[in-house]
Amino acid sequence: MKQTRRQEQRFTGHPVSPGIGIGPLHEAAEPELVVATKKLDPAEIAPELARLDDAVARSRHQLQKLKNRLAALPEDSQAEIAPLMDVYLHMLGPSRLLRGIKARVQEALLCAEAAVQAETEAQAEAIMAQTGQERAGRLRRADEVRELGRRLLRNLTRQPFRSFAGLAQGSILAASDLRPSDAALIQPARFAGIVTEEGGVEGHTAVMLRALGLPAVLGAEGVLDAVAPGTMTIIDGDTGEIVLSPSKASLEAARRKLSAQTRARRALAKLQRLPAMTKDGTAVELQANLELPFELAMIAESGAHGIGLLRSEFMFMNRDTAPDEDTQTRIYQDIVEAMDGDPVTIRVLDWGSDKEVEALSRYLPETPEANPALGLRGIRLLLRHPALLETQLAAILRAGAHGPVRILLPMVSVAAEVQATREILQRVWRRLKRRKTIALPESLPPLGIMVETPAAALASPVLAQHADFFSIGTNDLTMYTLAADRSLPADVKLYDPLEPAVLRLIHLTASFAAGAGIPVSLCGELAARPHVAPLLLGLGIRQLSMHGNAVPRVKRAIRATSLSLCERLAGDALAAPSAEAVRAILASAEP
């Protein structure tokens, strides 16, 4: 960091962990990684592979030590980070990553360092280039691959890792970037906050920083070049603002906001024990989405009553073969037991040719699909491979002996898909009942469908005759309704779940579900927006599932409104000409 004159300067980054941090800023620089590359002679292949094996062994040893050190971190942080270490350890086994690295050494005659660098970047770029899966999921997977490459390179070259031991107590920790394993070493009690020049709201690092409970702002470009070591700094993890050398007025304002946030957090914590109910007595069920097991700790703290969407794809990632029935049963059972009687809705594998999953590659069509988003994905693909579906259904049924579960089918368009799946489910149920040693629930779990296409919404009167419940996925419903992907540039302004066309499909689905007497929930990104909650209630939704962190704020919004106001909002929004008009309606209703 270079010395600059001491006057107030302001920067903006991505807010990833809420709160105000005030303290002297100190950088924890990562030693530069210098990697020499060279071509091998054929006679050097064997010793080079031995070097690689040694680096793999050292990396596994380090990660195991890191897991053991997690006992010193807060309990919630342990739950966030330990499963990530398991992912890294698995990738250091007989994985696609290591096979690709070794192939580059043997076939391209690259030295181990060059092979690691080339293969990890190639796999990370391939993951990010996929379509169909949420960007956050792709980013997490790419980060995992890059993190392993970085660790292998450090061990191949014997160059040191980053250390936080010498930084002053109560300081703002600054870095150009933080990796997930770096975040795992942070002792929360030592720092007032964290700021980096790179990174964003998605990925494992952001998730772990939220678990640590420290105010954090990532991606604040230029901060390190503008500040001297020890400069007093304010970071705002809610807005992403960073103030270097703050004035007296700025410091006083930050301290007032810190006090106000402390009071607000205490108020939100009290909400955990209160029902999600409008002022005129309409009850709403708030549940949490679960993408990776380490998010269970967040769900436990959020006050959510169950898991409304468990994305089962995580079990199939970074594996050579699909997990067998016993493996899947253990994973589901652990989650069901952790929820202690609250329901768990498990979505069967939502996957297609747009998602590169090595364990499932043999099930894909030999000829690449021209348009994977409209091709064989979700239940369409599973019904073509019933053995894969039967294994997953059997595991869910067995886990259902340990707590209430529901089964959710993705990408349903027609009733025949639900009928075919129910026949398979009943066949699996009968087979398991013949195995007298297998514990099962007293009855078949409810079988529901994702409503994420206009076809499913429009066919909801028919689908309600075959499904036990609906779950509206607003992310895909918005994409398919508006023929616009979430990855479109923001200035295009086509992908917007508040478009009246999308809202009308939500209202239609909720109305027909109510008429058929089946539950309907909403589990897309829209569910996590507190200011939209009254509108969703007015559209007929009484169950919402969202990221655990959003539950208290959505509950607060529900408790501050009335059903009569919600229904007026919905009527105005359904008649509105555009998403912008809907936003104006919502803004006018805010207190």
Side-chain angles (χ1 to χ4, degrees):
M1 292 187 255
K2 67 183 182 182
Q3 185 74 36
T4 61
R5 50 199 183 107
R6 300 174 65 83
Q7 62 179 14
E8 181 172 290
Q9 294 178 275
R10 291 177 180 262
F11 293 81
T12 302
H14 302 295
V16 301
S17 183
I20 297 291
I22 305 172
L25 185 143
H26 290 282
E27 182 181 3
E30 183 175 31
E32 183 181 359
L33 182 60
V34 180
V35 178
T37 59
K38 68 169 186 174
K39 282 283 189 176
L40 301 174
D41 292 323
E44 295 177 298
I45 291 176
E48 198 67 9
L49 290 175
R51 282 185 66 232
L52 177 62
D53 288 341
D54 178 67
V56 169
R58 288 172 61 86
S59 297
R60 289 183 63 86
H61 178 69
Q62 291 161 356
L63 289 169
Q64 193 59 56
K65 282 181 65 177
L66 193 54
K67 275 191 69 175
N68 296 339
R69 290 183 59 181
L70 294 180
L73 294 180
E75 201 170 297
D76 294 340
S77 302
Q78 294 180 43
E80 290 281 352
I81 299 167
L84 287 179
M85 299 301 106
D86 290 333
V87 170
Y88 297 149
L89 287 166
H90 174 79
M91 292 174 67
L92 287 170
S95 66
R96 179 184 173 209
L97 176 64
L98 285 188
R99 288 200 304 274
I101 294 170
K102 290 180 179 179
R104 289 179 185 270
V105 173
Q106 293 168 316
E107 299 167 13
L109 297 179
L110 294 181
C111 68
E113 291 88 342
V116 167
Q117 217 165 26
E119 184 64 21
T120 54
E121 193 55 34
Q123 290 197 19
E125 288 180 356
I127 290 168
M128 292 306 298
Q130 294 169 13
T131 58
Q133 186 187 9
E134 291 183 7
R135 186 178 184 278
R138 299 199 309 271
L139 187 62
R140 277 193 288 266
R141 291 169 54 209
D143 281 348
E144 289 166 4
V145 174
R146 289 188 172 113
E147 169 71 4
L148 260 294
R150 169 180 168 268
R151 184 167 292 276
L152 286 171
L153 287 171
R154 291 271 177 205
N155 283 316
L156 278 166
T157 59
R158 304 297 176 96
Q159 295 179 55
F161 291 80
R162 194 197 315 260
S163 173
F164 307 121
L167 298 183
Q169 182 89 12
S171 62
I172 301 289
L173 168 62
S176 59
D177 191 19
L178 278 179
R179 310 290 182 180
S181 58
D182 295 329
L185 293 172
I186 294 172
Q187 301 288 344
R190 292 200 60 214
F191 299 106
I194 297 169
V195 59
T196 71
E197 286 200 318
E198 299 177 24
V201 298
E202 301 163 335
H204 290 310
T205 298
V207 170
M208 287 191 290
L209 291 177
R210 283 192 287 270
L212 291 173
L214 282 171
V217 177
L218 305 186
E221 295 182 11
V223 166
L224 297 183
D225 287 334
V227 64
T231 297
M232 182 58 66
T233 301
I234 300 168
I235 68 167
D236 190 328
D238 294 283
T239 66
E241 187 174 43
I242 299 158
V243 184
L244 306 179
S245 301
S247 66
K248 183 179 179 180
S250 294
L251 271 175
E252 289 177 352
R255 288 173 180 139
R256 286 195 300 269
K257 187 171 183 180
L258 179 58
S259 297
Q261 287 183 344
T262 302
R263 293 194 299 270
R265 279 197 294 270
R266 293 181 66 183
L268 281 176
K270 292 177 182 177
L271 282 177
Q272 184 175 350
R273 299 184 296 273
L274 298 176
M277 183 178 291
T278 62
K279 291 190 290 187
D280 49 2
T282 299
V284 182
E285 188 174 352
L286 299 184
Q287 297 184 322
N289 297 341
L290 181 72
E291 186 162 345
L292 293 168
F294 64 71
E295 295 170 340
L296 276 169
M298 260 189 270
I299 293 174
E301 282 195 344
S302 71
H305 293 287
I307 295 173
L309 175 62
L310 191 165
R311 297 180 172 98
S312 61
E313 292 77 37
F314 74 90
M315 294 189 302
F316 297 81
M317 302 297 185
N318 302 313
R319 299 180 62 99
D320 298 325
T321 58
D324 60 21
E325 180 183 318
D326 288 341
T327 300
Q328 292 191 46
T329 299
R330 285 194 298 272
I331 295 171
Y332 293 140
Q333 181 178 330
D334 288 345
I335 294 171
V336 169
E337 289 179 341
M339 294 310 297
D340 195 25
D342 283 339
V344 177
T345 301
I346 303 173
R347 186 181 69 187
V348 296
L349 189 61
D350 185 12
W351 144 86
S353 61
D354 56 332
K355 301 177 183 178
E356 186 179 339
V357 182
E358 184 177 4
L360 302 170
S361 58
R362 66 187 182 92
Y363 298 102
L364 292 172
E366 292 185 8
T367 304
E369 294 181 295
N371 193 340
L374 300 179
L376 292 175
R377 57 165 288 198
I379 196 62
R380 303 173 181 180
L381 193 52
L382 288 174
L383 287 173
R384 292 173 67 92
H385 302 283
L388 192 64
L389 178 59
E390 287 185 19
T391 298
Q392 192 165 20
L393 292 176
I396 296 171
L397 289 173
R398 290 170 62 183
H402 303 272
V405 299
R406 303 194 307 174
I407 301 170
L408 185 58
L409 309 182
M411 199 59 182
V412 169
S413 297
V414 295
E417 294 165 333
V418 189
Q419 294 171 303
T421 306
R422 194 175 290 280
E423 290 173 4
I424 294 173
L425 178 64
Q426 291 170 340
R427 182 167 69 243
V428 172
W429 173 259
R430 291 191 296 269
R431 172 170 60 80
L432 290 176
K433 287 188 83 72
R434 289 194 293 269
R435 294 164 61 183
K436 302 297 183 183
T437 57
I438 296 292
L440 292 172
E442 293 183 1
S443 59
L444 277 169
L447 181 68
I449 67 166
M450 292 286 294
V451 176
E452 48 194 340
T453 66
L458 294 170
S460 53
V462 176
L463 290 170
Q465 300 174 28
H466 302 279
D468 299 319
F469 64 95
F470 289 161
S471 182
I472 302 174
T474 56
N475 300 345
D476 277 347
L477 183 61
T478 302
M479 177 179 74
Y480 287 117
T481 301
L482 303 175
D485 191 81
R486 277 167 289 177
S487 63
L488 282 172
D491 59 356
V492 175
K493 295 183 179 180
L494 283 178
Y495 179 92
D496 196 326
L498 289 179
E499 276 294 333
V502 180
L503 300 181
R504 290 177 195 127
L505 292 176
I506 294 172
H507 180 56
L508 184 74
T509 303
S511 300
F512 282 121
I518 66 172
V520 56
S521 65
L522 188 139
C523 64
E525 291 176 8
L526 205 60
R529 301 182 186 179
H531 68 287
V532 180
L535 170 60
L536 296 177
L537 267 62
L539 294 174
I541 302 298
R542 297 294 181 269
Q543 295 179 4
L544 295 169
S545 188
M546 65 204 74
H547 189 275
N549 281 343
V551 170
R553 291 170 176 80
V554 171
K555 182 185 288 188
R556 181 171 59 187
I558 290 168
R559 290 178 60 85
T561 191
S562 64
L563 185 59
S564 56
L565 172 61
C566 295
E567 289 174 342
R568 286 200 301 272
L569 275 178
D572 292 344
L574 290 172
S578 66
E580 286 300 320
V582 172
R583 264 187 282 277
I585 291 168
L586 295 179
S588 68
E590 291 181 358

